[in-house]
Amino acid sequence: MRKASGAASAKTGDAPAATHAHEVLGMRLKSLRLARRLSLRELAEATGTSASFISQLERGLTGASTASLNQMASALGVSVAMLFEESAAQNHGVLRRSERPSLPPSDGCRKMLLSRPPLSDMEVYVGEFDIGGSTGPDRYTHGDAHEMLVVLRGIVEVSLGEARHVLEEGDSIEYTTSTPHRSENIGSGRAEVMWIIAPPTSARAELEQYTAWKPLAAR
């Protein structure tokens, strides 16, 4: 009898942990699904499950097999580990300036990624330019999407094909990413810009190159 009682007690002790894990999974799953603009039925079809099963998962009423988790992660474009990241489920995508994923500086410019999974409908970047810094010596293209550049600080010259536009703080410009373009800081101080691209033109492998870098020192 004592043995049975002990086993029951152990199961009872494990229950809160299991329930919490289900709740975290449910919150993450729902957040990722909504960010992907998928209905319960669409996610169910992509994972070979049912809408009612997905609904129960999102409400933390049940767990899922390893195979089901792998299918869901694949359908949502994330790793299985991301389905259980409690901090990601609670912080609503907060990204601190000091934690921005960045590429190493090149041509006097550092490019940082602001949009991260599960955001999939657009890409958002911030660029910090030293005096005379630019996106490179040549104009470039990438896909055929809609791009907007907003000058957050300084004076930036944007070349679109053969046309050149000088933008100051608060100015913005729109163009297609298939138009050869280039940006350069022509002011006397550091410049900062934001790029917004929709739909995204970067492949996952390109985005994975961004790692944590400290922001350029303020001047």
Side-chain angles (χ1 to χ4, degrees):
M1 293 293 291
R2 288 181 184 176
K3 207 169 199 179
S5 177
S9 178
K11 288 181 180 178
T12 301
D14 290 341
T19 300
H20 180 68
H22 291 166
E23 290 175 350
V24 171
L25 173 62
M27 287 189 294
R28 284 295 286 147
L29 184 59
K30 185 173 183 178
S31 175
L32 290 164
R33 179 177 64 79
L34 293 177
R36 296 293 192 193
R37 296 184 180 177
L38 294 173
S39 67
L40 290 170
R41 184 185 299 275
E42 288 170 333
L43 182 57
E45 290 177 352
T47 57
T49 58
S50 67
S52 60
F53 173 66
I54 300 294
S55 177
Q56 288 185 334
L57 275 178
E58 291 186 351
R59 288 179 289 158
L61 301 179
T62 186
S65 67
T66 300
S68 293
L69 290 174
N70 283 328
Q71 291 172 331
M72 289 176 196
S74 178
L76 295 168
V78 299
S79 66
V80 173
M82 284 189 66
L83 295 177
F84 292 92
E85 288 184 1
E86 185 171 6
S87 59
Q90 295 178 347
N91 66 13
H92 303 288
V94 172
L95 176 64
R96 305 299 178 187
R97 185 182 181 93
S98 61
E99 298 171 350
R100 289 174 177 173
S102 172
L103 291 176
S106 177
D107 294 304
C109 172
R110 177 173 292 148
K111 189 175 181 181
M112 290 157 283
L113 178 65
L114 301 188
S115 56
R116 299 174 298 165
L119 192 62
S120 62
D121 295 331
M122 65 179 179
E123 292 175 88
V124 183
Y125 301 88
V126 165
E128 293 180 339
F129 296 90
D130 286 325
I131 298 173
S134 71
T135 52
D138 303 312
R139 298 175 180 86
Y140 65 99
T141 64
H142 48 104
D144 188 19
H146 189 130
E147 181 165 352
M148 174 182 286
L149 180 148
V150 184
V151 177
L152 305 177
R153 176 179 180 179
I155 303 175
V156 176
E157 181 181 82
V158 178
S159 300
L160 296 176
E162 298 303 316
R164 298 188 176 188
H165 306 271
V166 176
L167 306 180
E168 299 183 1
E169 184 174 323
D171 293 343
S172 63
I173 189 169
E174 298 176 77
Y175 47 90
T176 60
T177 57
S178 57
T179 302
H181 53 283
R182 175 180 182 271
S183 302
E184 179 181 359
N185 177 10
I186 61 172
S188 57
R190 185 167 64 89
E192 185 173 352
V193 305
M194 176 181 290
W195 292 281
I196 304 169
I197 305 166
T201 60
S202 297
R204 180 175 294 276
E206 294 178 85
L207 299 179
E208 289 177 349
Q209 296 180 45
Y210 286 79
T211 54
W213 284 75
K214 291 182 180 179
L216 290 173
R219 292 185 176 88

